[in-house]
Amino acid sequence: MTVLSSENLILASEDDVMLARRKVRLLAETLGFDPFATAAITTATSELCRNVCVHAVKGTARLEQIGSGGRTGIRLEVRDEGPGIPDIDRVLSAGQRSVGSLGLGLSGSRRLADEFRIETIVGRGTVVTVVKWKRPT
Amino acid sequence: MSAHGSIPVLRIGSTLLASIQVELRDTIADAFQEDILQTIAKTGATGLVIDITGLEMVDSYVGRVLTNTGRMATLMGTHAVVVGMRPVVAATLVRMGFRMEGVLTALNVDAGLALVSELIARRHGAGR
C-alpha cells in the first residue's frame, strides 16, 4: 500500500470537526468517489472526530490518500490521549440504546468504512483508523 | 417568522415550516431545537415540518437532534414530520445502524404538509 498524500489536522473544537469532514468530503469528491461512499466516509469522519472532542477533549487526525493494487482509497487515523475505552468489544457490538453516542459513533463508523481498526488503552488514549476504497467504475 | 442561526421558521396556517439550508453546527442544532419548541408553545402550532433537503450529511448527533425535536414536538401535541432526506443521507443512517424512531418522515415539503393536515383532520374527526 502506498501513501499518496497526507495531511495532519488538529481536533480541539467543533470548528475542527467541521473542517475535518469538509476536507474528507473534498478529497473523496476529488478522487471520484460515488456519492454514497463520499457520504459514508464523511459521516464516519464526523463521528470519530466528534468523539475525540466530546470524550477526550482534544486529539489529532491524519488524512491520507492511499493506493493499493490499482485501487484508490482514503485513510483517516484519529488519535487522542483521552481516557481510553474500557470494554471496547461491548461498546462496538452494542446497539444505539445501550451505549449512547460513543458506541453509535464507533460502531456506525465501523459499518460505514471498508476497513476499521481501533486500539485503546485505558488512561492512555485511543487510535481509530478507517479506510474507504473508491468503487471500481 | 423567527430564525436561529440561519434556520428560518415560517408559519403556514397553524403549521410551522423549518427549513435547514446549511451544514448544522452542533451548537446551532441545539439552539434550533429549543427555538422550535418555544415557537410551538408561543404560536400554538398544531403541525411542524422540518425540511432537511439542504443537509448533505446527517451524522448520529444531528440525527438525534432531529429525532428528538420531532418527538418533543409530538409530546407537546404537535404533529411533527421530517421531510426531504436525501438518498445518500437515508442510506448512510441505515448503514450505520441509526434508528430514527418516534418521528414521521415524508418525501418532501408538499408531502409533509399534506401528512400534517391529514393527521390534524383525523384527530379532530376522532374527537367528535
Side-chain angles (χ1 to χ4, degrees):
Chain A
M1 194 176 69
T2 326
V3 176
L4 302 164
S5 74
S6 180
E7 185 176 4
N8 291 308
L9 305 164
I10 300 285
L11 301 173
S13 71
E14 197 193 333
D15 285 337
D16 296 330
V17 177
M18 291 179 76
L19 185 66
R21 65 183 185 225
R22 272 184 205 150
K23 282 184 180 287
V24 168
R25 171 178 294 280
L26 184 65
L27 182 58
E29 287 172 351
T30 307
L31 295 177
F33 275 52
D34 67 87
F36 289 90
T38 301
I41 188 65
T42 306
T43 307
T45 301
S46 190
E47 300 291 347
L48 297 176
C49 295
R50 175 183 286 110
N51 270 356
V52 168
C53 293
V54 171
H55 298 283
V57 185
K58 66 179 186 175
T60 55
R62 191 166 72 226
L63 171 61
E64 293 173 335
Q65 179 194 343
I66 56 173
S68 176
R71 290 191 302 175
T72 300
I74 292 176
R75 180 167 66 189
L76 181 80
E77 181 194 274
V78 178
R79 180 181 292 270
D80 69 63
E81 292 176 7
I85 307 162
D87 207 358
I88 182 66
D89 291 338
R90 191 187 63 85
V91 169
L92 278 174
S93 61
Q96 170 177 349
R97 282 212 187 93
S98 44
V99 293
S101 65
L102 177 70
L104 186 64
L106 284 177
S107 64
S109 299
R110 181 164 71 167
R111 290 190 185 126
L112 292 173
D114 295 325
E115 294 168 29
F116 177 93
R117 197 177 61 172
I118 182 162
E119 295 161 74
T120 183
I121 300 173
V122 173
R124 298 274 292 279
T126 304
V127 183
V128 185
T129 310
V130 286
V131 173
K132 191 76 185 170
W133 295 105
K134 180 184 169 183
R135 268 197 296 221
T137 42
Chain B
M1 175 175 162
S2 66
H4 226 302
S6 32
I7 304 169
V9 181
L10 303 168
R11 248 188 112 166
I12 303 172
S14 62
T15 294
L16 298 175
L17 171 61
S19 194
I20 303 170
Q21 300 290 352
V22 292
E23 185 181 6
L24 266 189
R25 306 171 66 91
D26 293 2
T27 40
I28 290 183
D30 292 339
F32 165 71
Q33 182 173 82
E34 288 164 23
D35 183 51
I36 208 84
L37 297 177
Q38 297 284 5
T39 310
I40 288 170
K42 217 162 30 189
T43 59
T46 47
L48 168 67
V49 174
I50 303 174
D51 177 24
I52 59 166
T53 315
L55 293 184
E56 286 187 314
M57 190 215 67
V58 173
D59 61 12
S60 61
Y61 187 86
V62 172
R64 201 156 33 237
V65 170
L66 291 171
T67 308
N68 287 348
T69 305
R71 292 175 61 189
M72 289 166 186
T74 305
L75 205 52
M76 291 173 70
T78 300
H79 298 285
V81 186
V82 172
V83 308
M85 187 183 289
R86 295 185 184 197
V88 293
V89 171
T92 305
L93 284 176
V94 170
R95 281 173 191 160
M96 72 184 293
F98 185 84
R99 296 204 181 97
M100 209 148 173
E101 285 170 339
V103 63
L104 294 170
T105 58
L107 204 54
N108 51 37
V109 171
D110 283 348
L113 289 171
L115 178 57
V116 164
S117 304
E118 192 187 312
L119 291 169
I120 293 169
R122 202 184 293 167
R123 177 179 283 186
H124 284 218
R128 244 176 254 144

